[in-house]
Each structure stands twice: as structure tokens, then as C-alpha cells.
Amino acid sequence: MEDGYQNRTAFIKGAKDIAKEVKRQASKKVGRSVDRVSDQYSKRSYNRFEEDDDDDYPTQGSQDGGYYRGDSQAANDDEGGHSDSTEGHDEDDEIYEGEYQGIPRAESGKGSLAGGPGSVTAGAQQFRDIGVSEAERRKDQEELAQQYETILQECGHGKFQWSLYFVLGLALMADGVEIFVVGFVLPSAEKDMCLSEPNKSMLGLIVYFGMMVGAFLWGALADRIGRRQSLLISLSINSVFSFFSSFVQGYSTFLFCRLLSGVGIGGSIPIVFSYYSEFLSQEKRGEHLSWLCMFWMIGGIYASAMAWAIIPHYGWSFQMGSAYQFHSWRVFVLVCAFPSVAAIASLSAMPESPRFYLENGKHDEGWMILKQVHDTNMRAKGHPEKVFSVTTIKTVKQMDELVDTGTDTPVLKRYRLKIMSLSQQIRNNIVACFSPEYKRTTFMLMAVWFTMSFSYYGLTVWFPDMIKYIQKQEYESRTKTFSKERVEHITFNFTLENQVHLEGHYFNDKFLNLKMKSMVFEDSVFEECYFEDITSTHTIFRNCTFIASLFYNTDLFKYRMVNCKLVNSTFLHNKEGCMLDFSDDFNNAYMIYFVNFLGTLAVLPGNIVSALLMDKIGRLRMLAGSSVISCVSCFFLMFGNSESGMIALLCLFGGISIASWNALDVITVELYPSDKRTTAFGFLNALCKLAAVLGISIFQSFVGITKAVPILFAAGALAAGSFLATKLPETRGLVLQ
């Protein structure tokens, strides 16, 4: 009996080791070899156990019967067989009965001893089935990819694809608009909300943080709940919070609304490219995905044109007391939500991706959409008599399903379980992008996305800041300086601008209904002076003395006085808050919109070239070649010493770099299978936005200090990206995985 106990213990330990080995082999998808290994180990171990402990276990477990019968025979085991197989167990057997039973299966519940050889076979069978199921799924995906390409060839390229092109183009246009909104409204919003420099910086970057979260979230969801549904939800969130942000008054609420607006629009790029690619055949994919990129440019042009037309018109505003103000920049924010709303309305009439349905085992839904594509294109081409010849399409074997909790489960618990299941599936998808099969590709793409985004966004923000800095230097060069002047009994009722007054003495002077712009009074004395209806911008009084002076309805108190002495002076009806005055920055505002308009329009030639050559020279050559030329163009920035020169270099850089962006979008879509495509794209696009935040923050810190560091950073990043791009696999001519 003691020998039997020791043998059982040794067997249990050996069975666990066997199960681990079988699982490892199954994960490598060795198919039949897993079955062979598991059977050999199981039979050899059991035979050894049977010889050592022949009296404790029945001989029914021989090779000819019992535990090693085929599945069909095991399934027909009756209750008597089960009783026979468990006869003769003593009390010691019962103690160790639950020690190791493997993963239970329907056919292994009968005719197997707890902890005995039947449970080993069941465990081996379970692990073998996992390996076989995964191999079958992979085979199904390969067959579907080939058949799907053939079906798209039969459907042709025509009216349906062009309709979808414009619908998804609106969604991509909304993304392009979102990038520019905050930058255009910031000069006005900072006055309306009295923003400090840190608040301005956060408002400028918050949209990138939102888009980073949105890209990751919606990209992952689109592989689980569908491209169309995810895109509709994300655009709806963008539209709602864009609308709210145009009405909210406080800085915190405006920041929150822009953050959630960015989260919504963040899903646009990952989903749009994946969605559209699944309606395009092999020879059309590279070209038409590149044409789709043009809508991002159109979004930038739309934002620039609307800002130009709306924001400077400060008459387009109303207010309700001092608590609620609605100025023209808020009208601009509202108008910028229109592309997203239009995309939602248009997308509601479009179907889900048939490839998504087929990948998820929904044959009839996928077939109906492909038939719709075929019939739409054939009718448009004048061949309505052509019949969709496909009757059956390969679907992929399903392994993961949402939890079916039944109708008796409480609602909250049911939703909680579904969310947990969905989260687990998303996590598995993300982990799969770093599996041995895709790990190298993912890390290479991460490096390329990061380096390109770091240099592109860093430079595109650095350019306008450099233009502002050059304008500021030129403005300061025209500053007039007055020293030790004495002015008495004079009335000033005209604008005072760009002047410095040192050690002046002003006696019985009146400053009435005027604007002070970029004025500095230092070490000066104002005696018996009267200030009324004064509006100031970039004006400061430093180390000045005011004697018996009166301030009525001015904005000079607190904000403009630095180390000043006030003797018998009075302030009445001070202007509270920040006053909007567009005329101060009228020309500058137009210049900002005009520069962005030109920079966005300059990518048009690059878009056209990339679309025409993408399928001819290949994705890698387009990506690496454009990156190298962009790298070389960075060194021309050293010669940008004037406003016009910087604008020209901005246009040159944008026109060249857009081709590499188009190629990167196409190759990212084509390197991942359909069940992981938007997850991977969303993750990489989120990394892109993180790199954009870093690039903008670093490049802006060197404005007015040195040009060399930003140029070296940008050139180095582009050089590294172009080198790594050559290590990626070429996808031209391959079917969509």
C-alpha cells in the first residue's frame, strides 16, 4: 500500500511536468507532434504506474480500452463503466483524488480516475486542442485573406469606394481641424480668460494628450466591436464636447472639454485607414489610402480659412452682463465642429467592414455587404446584369467570445462581466502585437513613428514661434526711447505705442480715452495727472511715483504697477478682468492664419506625388526617401533669418515630409492582420502624439536662444527614422492579412 502511495505521488508530479511540456509544444503550434508527444508520455507513464501498483487500479486502462479509446467511444461510456473504473479505491485514494485532475472536458468526466491516467490524457487533449484551434484559426485567416482579395477583385473599384472615400475623408478632416483649433483661438482666449503662460502652454498641449488616449482606446475597441461603430462613437464624443467648449466660460471647463474633444477625435486616424483599406484591392490600396490623406490637409485649410474669416471680426459677439461673454473666437470653435457632425451623418449610411464580420465568424453579414459593394459598382458602371458569383466565404474559427451571463443575472453584474471580458480581449490583442511573430515589426514601427512625429510636430510648431520671434525683434528695433523729458499741461488722446520713457516728469497732464501698447515708463514721476478710459497691452510702470493723481475706468491698477509709489492717488471704477481688443493684434492674427494656410497647402504636391508613386516604387522607398530628403532640408533652416524665408522653409519641409507620413500610414495598415490592425495602429498613433508633446515642448524652449539644437534634433531623428524604415518588410503587392 505504501508503495502504491509513493507511486501515485511520483505519477502526479510526473503528470504535471508532462502537462507543462505538452502546453509548451502546443503553443508552438506543432499540431500532430503535440498529440504524438502527449500520447507517448501519457501511455509510458501510465504503463509504468500500472506495473508498480497493479493491485490498486483496475486493468481497464490498457491500450486496448478504457482511457485510450477514441473520442467517440469515450463519449459513449455508460455509468457502469464509470463505476468499474473507480472500484477498488481505498481511503488513501480518496485523499489524493483531487490533487491533479487537469482541465475538465465533457468527455473526460466519465471513465477517468481523479488524479489517474485519464485526467492526464484529458489535460493533454485540452492543450492539444488549444494548439490545434490556434493552427486552424491561422489557416482560416490565410485562406480568408486570399479569398477576400479575389472577391474584392470581382467587386471592382467604383462608386461604393468613392462614396466611402468622401465619408471617411470628413472624419480625417475633423482630425486635421482639431490640431489647429486651439492654436488659432489661443491669442483671443488668453485675453478672454486671463490666461497665464503655464495655462496657455497646457491649453496648447491638452489636445495632444486627449488624442493620445483616444487613439489607444478607440483603436483597441475597433477590433472588438467594429470599425464603423467605434468611429461613430468617437466622432460623437468629439462633436458634443467641441460644441460645449464654445460656450463654457471658465478656463478649467474649457480645458476639460478640449481634452474630451481630443479623446473623441483621437480614434479617427487609426480607424479610418484600417476601415478604408478593407474595401480596397491589392493594386488600389496604396494609391487610394494616399489620396485619403489629402483630407487632413483640407482640414487644415478649412480651419485656417474659418479663423481668417471669423476671429478678427470682434463684432460677431454678445454678452449677458459681465458673467457671460460669447466672442467671435467661440463662433470659430463652433464652426470647427461641423466636419465631425457631417462625418457622423454620412457614416450612418455606410456599412460595417465586411472583413471585420468575416474575421468574427459572421458570414451572412459579411456576404451581404460584399454583395452591396459589387452591385453598387456594377450598376454605376452600366452592368446591372452582373451577378455576385460568390456563395460561400471562409470565416475564421472563433476562440474568444463575450461572456453570456444569461437573463437571470443582475444588469449591473452582466455589464460588469461584459466589460471585464472586453477588457481582457483588448489586453490580449495588445499583448499579441508584441508576440514573437510581430515583436520586431512593432518595435521598428514604434521607433519610426516616434522619430518622425518628434521632428515633424516639433518643427511645425517651432516655425511659427520663430516667425513671431523675428517679428518681435523687428518690432523692438523700432522702439523709441525718451529720457529725462518734462511734460506739463498736455492732453494725450491718441495711441501711445512702442515707446520707452526713462526718468520723465509729468505735471498736470491728462491721458484720455487712449490705448497704450508696448509702453514702458521707468523711474518717472506723475504729479496731479488724470487717467480716464485707458486700455493697455504689454504696458508697464516700473519704479514710478504717482502724486495726487486720479485713475478712472482704467486697467492700470495692480497689473501694470511694479514697485511704484502711490501718494494721495485714487482709483475709481477699475476695469476688471482681461479686455478683448482685436485691433491690437489684427495684423498678427492674419499673419498666423496665413502662415498656417500656406504651410498646409504646401503639402498638396507631396500628397499627389506619394499617391501616384506609392504602388509603383513601394512603401519603403517612399518612406525612407522622403525622410532622407526631409532630413537634408532641415539644414536649410540655418539660413532662415527673415519672416519670408522661414515661411518658405516651412512650406518646403511640409511638402516633403507628407510623403513619408502617407507611406507610414499605408505600411502600418498592411503589416498587421485584420483582428489586430486598429489596435496596433491606435497604439502607434498614441505614441506619435506623445512624441509630438515632447517635440513641441523641447523645440519651443530653444526659440530665441539657438537654432542649432532644434535643427540637430530634427535632423538626427529623421535620419534615425529613415534608417530604421529600411529594415521594415515591404508590403507592396501583398494581400491584406
Side-chain angles (χ1 to χ4, degrees):
M1 190 67 175
E2 186 174 342
D3 291 339
Y5 169 80
Q6 293 175 349
N7 289 335
R8 280 192 299 275
T9 303
F11 170 75
I12 290 166
K13 181 179 180 182
K16 291 180 179 179
D17 294 337
I18 293 167
K20 291 179 180 179
E21 175 65 16
V22 172
K23 184 177 180 180
R24 187 179 68 82
Q25 296 291 341
S27 67
K28 295 183 178 181
K29 304 177 184 63
V30 294
R32 296 177 183 174
S33 63
V34 175
D35 193 15
R36 185 169 62 254
V37 170
S38 62
D39 286 343
Q40 288 174 353
Y41 273 92
S42 299
K43 292 177 183 178
R44 184 158 56 249
S45 300
Y46 177 66
N47 289 337
R48 187 184 302 116
F49 175 81
E50 188 178 13
E51 291 171 3
D52 292 342
D53 199 17
D54 190 47
D55 294 334
D56 286 328
Y57 284 92
T59 58
Q60 188 177 354
S62 63
Q63 277 187 319
D64 295 334
Y67 307 112
Y68 296 100
R69 284 177 289 174
D71 291 342
S72 60
Q73 188 176 353
N76 292 325
D77 279 345
D78 57 13
E79 211 172 299
H82 177 74
S83 300
D84 292 342
S85 65
T86 56
E87 268 184 359
H89 284 260
D90 54 22
E91 195 175 44
D92 292 335
D93 293 334
E94 296 297 330
I95 294 174
Y96 294 93
E97 188 173 18
E99 179 76 16
Y100 180 77
Q101 299 183 22
I103 300 174
R105 293 176 58 85
E107 61 266 30
S108 64
K110 301 178 183 179
S112 61
L113 287 170
S119 65
V120 177
T121 305
Q125 178 71 23
Q126 176 70 14
F127 294 131
R128 183 197 66 185
D129 288 348
I130 293 175
V132 170
S133 296
E134 183 62 31
E136 289 177 354
R137 180 175 173 83
R138 177 59 57 84
K139 183 179 178 181
D140 289 346
Q141 287 176 327
E142 293 174 354
E143 292 179 5
L144 172 60
Q146 296 294 334
Q147 186 185 10
Y148 194 80
E149 178 63 32
T150 304
I151 294 173
L152 287 179
Q153 297 282 352
E154 179 179 342
C155 292
H157 188 92
K159 180 180 178 180
F160 184 90
Q161 281 84 356
W162 283 112
S163 300
L164 186 63
Y165 169 80
F166 287 104
V167 171
L168 296 181
L170 288 172
L172 200 59
M173 178 181 171
D175 182 271
V177 170
E178 190 74 18
I179 291 291
F180 292 96
V181 169
V182 173
F184 287 159
V185 304
L186 197 55
S188 302
E190 67 173 312
K191 297 178 180 179
D192 206 1
M193 299 181 182
C194 300
L195 301 183
S196 62
E197 287 299 324
N199 287 343
K200 286 165 56 179
S201 299
M202 178 55 68
L203 189 56
L205 294 176
I206 195 66
V207 65
Y208 291 100
F209 286 114
M211 294 174 80
M212 178 175 65
V213 174
F216 184 81
L217 173 65
W218 302 117
L221 280 176
D223 276 330
R224 304 310 309 170
I225 67 174
R227 282 80 163 109
R228 176 178 174 273
Q229 185 174 352
S230 297
L231 188 57
L232 280 172
I233 296 172
S234 66
L235 290 174
S236 298
I237 292 175
N238 171 254
S239 300
V240 169
F241 286 98
S242 292
F243 177 81
F244 285 157
S245 68
S246 67
F247 291 96
V248 297
Q249 295 294 298
Y251 167 74
S252 299
T253 51
F254 183 76
L255 191 72
F256 178 72
C257 287
R258 295 317 303 179
L259 172 66
L260 292 185
S261 175
V263 170
I265 202 60
S268 177
I269 288 181
I271 299 175
V272 160
F273 284 102
S274 301
Y275 190 4
Y276 194 46
S277 69
E278 292 169 354
F279 286 92
L280 298 173
S281 59
Q282 169 189 315
E283 70 273 7
K284 299 285 186 180
R285 196 162 51 241
E287 176 185 351
H288 287 270
L289 286 177
S290 298
W291 287 125
L292 185 63
C293 293
M294 292 187 66
F295 277 92
W296 197 92
M297 173 201 72
I298 295 173
I301 293 175
Y302 174 83
S304 301
M306 291 298 101
W308 197 340
I310 295 173
I311 294 179
H313 295 279
Y314 53 90
W316 294 10
S317 62
F318 67 89
Q319 63 183 52
M320 299 170 62
S322 59
Y324 188 86
Q325 299 178 346
F326 192 89
H327 297 288
S328 58
W329 67 267
R330 296 181 181 276
V331 178
F332 167 72
V333 173
L334 191 62
V335 168
C336 285
F338 288 173
S340 186
V341 174
I344 294 170
S346 303
L347 190 60
S348 301
M350 303 307 294
E352 178 58 85
S353 164
R355 184 67 176 267
F356 171 78
Y357 279 142
L358 296 172
E359 290 282 347
N360 286 274
K362 298 180 179 180
H363 174 275
D364 293 348
E365 292 89 339
W367 184 88
M368 288 295 293
I369 295 171
L370 287 170
K371 182 178 185 302
Q372 177 186 350
V373 175
H374 174 275
D375 293 346
T376 301
N377 289 341
M378 291 304 109
R379 284 195 300 268
K381 293 178 180 179
H383 304 292
E385 72 282 357
K386 286 193 175 182
V387 179
F388 187 51
S389 63
V390 178
T391 56
T392 304
I393 307 174
K394 186 70 177 180
T395 56
V396 177
K397 179 180 178 64
Q398 299 304 296
M399 297 183 66
D400 297 321
E401 297 290 341
L402 290 175
V403 176
D404 185 9
T405 57
T407 56
D408 296 334
T409 307
V411 175
L412 290 178
K413 184 177 181 181
R414 185 159 64 243
Y415 279 109
R416 183 172 62 85
L417 291 175
K418 287 184 177 181
I419 291 173
M420 290 175 61
S421 174
L422 183 62
S423 301
Q424 182 62 35
Q425 293 169 17
I426 291 174
R427 178 183 175 277
N428 293 339
N429 248 13
I430 295 169
V431 172
C433 294
F434 293 91
S435 63
E437 183 177 1
Y438 299 105
K439 181 168 65 176
R440 182 178 180 276
T441 297
T442 300
F443 280 118
M444 296 293 288
L445 280 173
M446 285 174 62
V448 175
W449 273 91
F450 187 91
T451 54
M452 284 188 56
S453 180
F454 178 82
S455 57
Y456 177 81
Y457 285 101
L459 282 180
T460 51
V461 173
W462 182 74
F463 274 118
D465 286 347
M466 280 299 300
I467 292 174
K468 290 179 185 177
Y469 177 73
I470 292 172
Q471 290 175 339
K472 182 180 178 182
Q473 283 187 317
E474 183 181 353
Y475 184 77
E476 290 177 350
S477 67
R478 301 195 303 267
T479 301
K480 296 179 180 180
T481 302
F482 302 88
S483 180
K484 297 181 179 180
E485 62 179 351
R486 183 175 180 86
V487 181
E488 298 179 356
H489 310 292
I490 298 297
T491 299
F492 296 89
N493 56 4
F494 49 87
T495 299
L496 299 176
E497 180 178 359
N498 199 17
Q499 298 175 7
V500 176
H501 296 263
L502 303 174
E503 301 179 11
H505 189 92
Y506 303 88
F507 178 76
N508 196 24
D509 295 320
K510 294 182 179 180
F511 298 83
L512 303 176
N513 193 27
L514 61 80
K515 298 174 182 177
M516 293 182 179
K517 181 178 179 182
S518 300
M519 294 292 294
V520 176
F521 295 90
E522 189 167 351
D523 299 319
S524 299
V525 177
F526 295 84
E527 185 176 357
E528 298 182 12
C529 292
Y530 180 72
F531 298 83
E532 182 180 351
D533 291 330
I534 306 297
T535 302
S536 58
T537 304
H538 305 292
T539 296
I540 189 169
F541 295 83
R542 186 183 293 113
N543 300 324
C544 294
T545 301
F546 295 87
I547 303 172
S549 296
L550 176 64
F551 296 82
Y552 183 86
N553 193 30
T554 71
D555 61 358
L556 300 179
F557 185 64
K558 290 184 180 180
Y559 308 106
R560 311 300 184 190
M561 308 292 184
V562 179
N563 297 327
C564 293
K565 296 180 181 179
L566 301 173
V567 180
N568 296 328
S569 296
T570 306
F571 291 84
L572 299 175
H573 298 286
N574 297 317
K575 294 182 178 180
E576 299 293 338
C578 303
M579 302 302 295
L580 279 174
D581 185 9
F582 292 102
S583 61
D584 286 343
D585 299 313
F586 188 78
N587 294 327
N588 287 340
Y590 272 122
M591 179 56 66
I592 292 172
Y593 311 144
F594 181 67
V595 168
N596 281 279
F597 177 83
L598 287 180
T600 308
L601 188 62
V603 306
L604 178 61
N607 264 319
I608 295 174
V609 170
S610 63
L612 296 177
L613 298 181
M614 189 70 71
D615 287 320
K616 293 181 172 59
I617 67 175
R619 285 72 161 137
L620 290 188
R621 290 181 181 177
M622 180 68 70
L623 174 58
S626 176
S627 297
V628 169
I629 299 174
S630 299
C631 176
V632 173
S633 70
C634 287
F635 291 100
F636 288 101
L637 299 177
M638 295 298 297
F639 305 102
N641 296 319
S642 66
E643 186 177 320
S644 58
M646 292 301 295
I647 294 174
L649 291 172
L650 170 64
C651 295
L652 175 65
F653 179 77
I656 295 172
S657 61
I658 192 63
S660 56
W661 279 111
N662 293 356
L664 187 59
D665 290 334
V666 174
I667 202 170
T668 301
V669 163
E670 296 177 333
L671 280 176
Y672 290 96
S674 293
D675 60 339
K676 302 174 183 65
R677 181 169 295 124
T678 57
T679 299
F681 206 135
F683 170 76
L684 293 169
N685 199 252
L687 182 68
C688 163
K689 297 304 184 290
L690 176 62
V693 171
L694 293 176
I696 292 170
S697 303
I698 292 173
F699 280 49
Q700 280 184 328
S701 64
F702 290 100
V703 173
I705 299 175
T706 178
K707 288 183 180 179
V709 175
I711 290 172
L712 289 176
F713 274 166
L718 288 169
S722 60
F723 172 76
L724 294 172
T726 60
K727 306 299 180 181
L728 290 168
E730 176 60 75
T731 57
R732 178 179 56 153
L734 300 180
V735 298
L736 200 63
Q737 294 185 57

